[in-house]
Amino acid sequence: MLVSKEFVKNLPKVELHLHIEGSLEPELMFALAKRNNVNIPFATADEIKKAYNFSNLQDFLDIYYQGMSVLKKEEDFYDLTYAYLKKIASQNVMHTEIFFDPQGHTSRGIEFKTVINGITRALDDAKDEFGISSRLIMCFLRHLSEEDAFNSLNEAIPYKDRIIAVGLDSSEVGHPPAKFDRVFAKARAEGFLTVAHAGEEGPPEYIYEALDLLKVDRIDHGNRAMENKDLLKRIIDEEKALTVCPLSNLKLCVVDNLKNHPLKKMLGLGVKATINSDDPSYFGGYMTENFIAVAQNLNLSMEDLAQLTENAIEASFVSAKRKYEMIRELNNFLENNIEPVSTAI
Ligand code: ADE
Ligand code: ZN
């Protein structure tokens, strides 16, 4: 590795792809199961961790939806979100944009307001305690129907001031972005920004659909854009950020080995790639662990890692003022931590 772990840990970071339900650590899962009288099919945290062996996205999703069943009350969503924010505060994350899956909860009889009130109260507290700014993105579960997504969108409209964007997640293959064309059109008309998971397992055509039909501001994952030169050129020309999730890609077998991860090629081509943790409790690491994994396996330089943060700042859904503050924090860190390169005379 060209850089020290200390440098990676202290590097200011921005996360743009994090499913809050995917930050549910086994210990909290047990505590909430007990508090809410929910049966979970595991006896110990170790047993849970052993079950986290996935051969594809669906393998993971089956366990992820089961894990959510312990979340019932506003306090549970608060505790979940606060635990994630406390963790990333220790990893020098300045700003985070958090996905949540309302349909994963409303389908179990939990009210939309219970979910959003718990999450946003923790976000407000984290801003005061840790100085972490945040945005919230609600996702539609793409394996469910268009009608279901419309219902979820209608429930979100009264909370528009707390939700910056809508996204699309869950089982990708067989559920193309086109299925949600009309839902996203309504969301945009209501003033939401848009993002979508595309090209994680699905083909490059799904990325085209996300861009052309859903008019997304960022692509979540986007790995399979590497298969199509024209698409790649468009992503570079239009400066569309990709929210790349290295440890997730490894755990879900999107890549066979991190040494073969496309991130370094993306950076070399000028793609606005960013690093994110996706579902850190399930995939073995938060932001710092993801940065270390790619730095080690792809021999990334300090400048590469700084570029990843710069890309994330630029692609974030915040004001120009907040972007400027974060760029300043990044530059301050770099000035104090990158040895000046001596130029040969
Ligand atoms: N939901 C949570 N994590 C996801 C992922 N990596 N892909 C699709 N849906 C998800
Ligand atoms: Zn994701």
Side-chain angles (χ1 to χ4, degrees):
M1 177 152 102
L2 300 171
V3 293
S4 71
K5 286 191 178 166
E6 203 54 22
F7 176 90
V8 179
K9 180 174 166 259
N10 293 331
L11 175 74
K13 303 174 193 72
V14 166
E15 175 141 71
L16 302 178
H17 185 152
L18 175 281
H19 302 263
I20 198 64
E21 298 90 346
S23 72
L24 178 59
E25 291 288 345
E27 292 73 17
L28 183 58
M29 195 187 290
F30 271 116
L32 296 182
K34 197 166 167 205
R35 190 155 97 186
N36 292 327
N37 270 320
V38 177
N39 276 324
I40 52 171
F42 304 104
T44 62
D46 266 357
E47 241 181 61
I48 296 190
K49 283 177 191 156
K50 277 205 192 98
Y52 292 175
N53 252 317
F54 316 112
S55 8
N56 54 38
L57 174 59
Q58 193 59 50
D59 264 6
F60 154 70
L61 290 170
D62 293 342
I63 288 210
Y64 166 82
Y65 293 123
Q66 188 181 62
M68 279 183 206
S69 65
V70 301
L71 298 163
K72 295 205 143 179
K73 308 209 180 73
E74 183 181 315
E75 208 56 28
D76 307 335
F77 290 94
Y78 177 91
D79 290 348
L80 171 72
T81 309
Y82 188 84
Y84 160 70
L85 292 160
K86 190 169 173 202
K87 175 74 188 180
I88 63 166
S90 73
Q91 300 198 336
N92 291 302
V93 176
M94 303 179 278
H95 173 75
T96 180
E97 303 201 347
I98 297 180
F99 294 130
F100 72 116
D101 283 335
Q103 290 158 292
H105 311 299
T106 52
S107 64
R108 302 181 288 113
I110 316 292
E111 286 189 83
F112 193 97
K113 70 165 193 257
T114 304
V115 181
I116 196 148
N117 286 343
I119 296 174
T120 52
R121 198 154 52 78
L123 297 180
D124 291 346
D125 285 354
K127 178 110 185 59
D128 293 344
E129 279 180 50
F130 310 123
I132 299 177
S133 57
S134 59
R135 292 286 184 267
L136 203 48
I137 302 172
M138 66 168 273
C139 285
F140 301 112
L141 299 183
R142 67 204 301 161
H143 67 277
L144 300 178
S145 68
E146 181 198 40
E147 186 191 356
D148 218 308
F150 267 121
N151 290 338
S152 195
L153 177 59
N154 289 334
E155 285 206 84
I157 287 171
Y159 299 97
K160 223 164 38 176
D161 57 328
R162 299 197 227 169
I163 302 171
I164 190 81
V166 299
L168 188 64
D169 65 2
S170 193
S171 322
E172 186 180 8
V173 175
H175 302 285
K179 180 174 164 187
F180 298 95
D181 188 4
R182 294 187 298 185
V183 179
F184 272 64
K186 177 165 180 188
R188 290 194 309 276
E190 290 286 348
F192 293 100
L193 300 175
T194 62
V195 296
H197 284 53
E200 180 183 18
E201 285 188 344
E205 290 69 37
Y206 285 20
I207 302 178
Y208 272 117
E209 284 186 15
L211 292 168
D212 293 332
L213 303 179
L214 308 189
K215 308 205 184 304
V216 293
D217 297 290
R218 304 192 294 246
I219 300 279
D220 296 316
H221 295 292
N223 297 46
R224 291 193 62 188
M226 299 306 281
E227 296 170 23
N228 183 315
K229 276 210 172 83
D230 291 340
L231 174 58
L232 205 48
K233 182 174 181 318
R234 177 167 169 194
I235 286 171
I236 295 163
D237 290 349
E238 292 182 9
E239 298 190 357
K240 286 282 175 205
L242 304 186
T243 62
V244 176
C245 306
L247 288 174
S248 163
N249 292 159
L250 183 66
K251 277 283 192 177
L252 300 186
C253 306
V254 168
V255 293
D256 60 351
N257 187 319
L258 278 182
K259 294 205 184 315
N260 300 326
H261 195 282
L263 179 74
K264 192 167 183 166
K265 280 194 198 109
M266 289 172 174
L267 286 178
L269 291 166
V271 173
K272 297 282 177 198
T274 66
I275 293 288
N276 307 273
S277 70
D278 205 3
D279 301 282
S281 149
Y282 292 88
F283 301 148
Y286 289 75
M287 286 292 275
T288 297
E289 291 79 13
N290 271 276
F291 268 83
I292 288 175
V294 287
Q296 277 177 339
N297 284 283
L298 300 172
N299 262 326
L300 298 186
S301 63
M302 290 189 269
E303 288 78 6
D304 291 330
L305 300 183
Q307 182 70 55
L308 288 162
T309 290
E310 195 182 318
N311 291 348
I313 294 170
E314 282 168 8
S316 64
F317 294 151
V318 294
S319 65
K321 176 171 174 283
R322 179 68 183 135
K323 285 187 187 181
Y324 176 73
E325 280 170 11
M326 293 194 285
I327 287 285
R328 228 177 29 188
E329 193 169 333
L330 174 64
N331 284 339
N332 275 342
F333 170 82
L334 296 175
E335 271 165 31
N336 293 317
N337 289 278
I338 293 195
E339 306 265 316
V341 183
S342 58
T343 39
I345 303 173

